[in-house]
């Protein structure tokens, strides 16, 4: 075998390929340049998840390590959704976004997304490495609890970390305590009503249901209230679509998606 013709196959989760490629191919170009290797990914639509690296052995192995490191980092990325009363969102974001920027920097650069203003949604999503996401979740809940205390003129004590108790203790004037209790129970009720449902929609219809630049799926989510609709990663061939949110909204979104799907199937058959 030629010194310059060493070859390695690296299985990488299909959903991670786009991150290895990068925007406009920036990441893969940089990787090829830095490692002096030829790196080939499966063509679009192929089911294979194998990335092939060719070149001098030491360069190929270095490229392999870099790609595996990217996958390890991506596999550690999670998304968490927490419920924070919508009226607290502006104060959590802070003037010109200063407070939320400080929180993201403090927590390792996680991405924190608040719902669009005016929707009334309490759902806040946090995405990033697991450890950083959990840290950001803790920080956001701490701050929101502080703001809730200020708002209700009460002292609200949560169980210490590691305690098995699920009891929150509220101290203060009776009327303030009862008002705070109602607010906390309302948050719990909203959280408890959140469900996830999976429906099967033919993979070939996914792009048309998402619509140009995601316009159609955004319209559906807005129409159906506070839901998150997730389609499988392109190229996997999976038909599974997940819908998450309050039960009533999820059922509404499910009905709407299946209606649109059936309409599109009918059009294909007629055509």
């Amino acid at each position: 075998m030629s010194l310059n013709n060493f070859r390695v196959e690296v299985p990488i989760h299909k959903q991670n390929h786009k991150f290895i490629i990068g925007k406009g191919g920036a990441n893969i170009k940089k990787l090829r340049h830095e490692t002096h290797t030829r790196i080939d990914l499966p063509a679009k639509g192929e089911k294979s998840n194998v990335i092939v690296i060719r070149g001098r052995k030491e360069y190929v192995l270095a490229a392999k390590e870099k790609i595996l490191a990217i996958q390890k980092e991506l596999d550690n990325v999670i998304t968490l959704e927490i419920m924070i009363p919508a009226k607290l969102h502006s104060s959590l974001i802070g003037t010109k976004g200063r407070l939320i920027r400080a929180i993201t920097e403090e927590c390792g650069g996680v991405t924190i997304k608040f719902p669009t203003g005016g929707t009334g949604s309490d759902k806040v999503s946090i995405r990033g490495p697991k450890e950083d996401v959990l840290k950001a979740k803790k920080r956001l809940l701490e701050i929101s609890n502080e703001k809730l205390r200020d708002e209700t003129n009460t002292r609200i004590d949560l169980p210490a970390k590691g305690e098995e108790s699920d009891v929150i203790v509220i101290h203060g004037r009776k009327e303030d305590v009862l008002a705070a209790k109602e607010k906390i129970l309302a948050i719990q009720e909203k959280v408890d009503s959140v469900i996830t449902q999976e429906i099967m929609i033919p993979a070939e219809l996914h792009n048309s249901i998402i619509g140009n630049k995601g316009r159609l799926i955004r319209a559906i989510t807005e129409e159906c209230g506070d839901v998150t609709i997730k389609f499988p990663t392109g190229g996997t061939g999976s038909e599974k679509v997940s819908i998450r949110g309050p039960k009533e909204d999820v059922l509404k979104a499910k009905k709407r998606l299946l209606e649109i799907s059936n309409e599109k199937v009918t059009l294909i058959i007629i055509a």
Side-chain angles (χ1 to χ4, degrees), residues 145-157 168-181 183-184:
N145 284 333
E146 286 167 12
K147 293 185 180 296
L148 195 57
R149 288 178 190 127
D150 293 341
E151 186 182 289
T152 58
N153 298 313
T154 58
R155 176 182 148 202
I156 303 172
D157 296 329
I168 294 174
V169 181
I170 312 168
H171 307 267
R173 289 166 56 90
K174 183 177 180 180
E175 58 269 33
D176 294 335
V177 167
L178 293 176
K181 177 185 174 184
K183 288 177 184 289
I184 290 169

Side-chain angles (χ1 to χ4, degrees), residues 5-18:
N5 203 27
F6 187 75
R7 182 179 186 275
V8 162
E9 293 185 353
V10 189
I12 297 292
H13 302 318
K14 194 78 173 176
Q15 66 267 27
N16 291 340
H17 286 198
K18 62 182 177 182

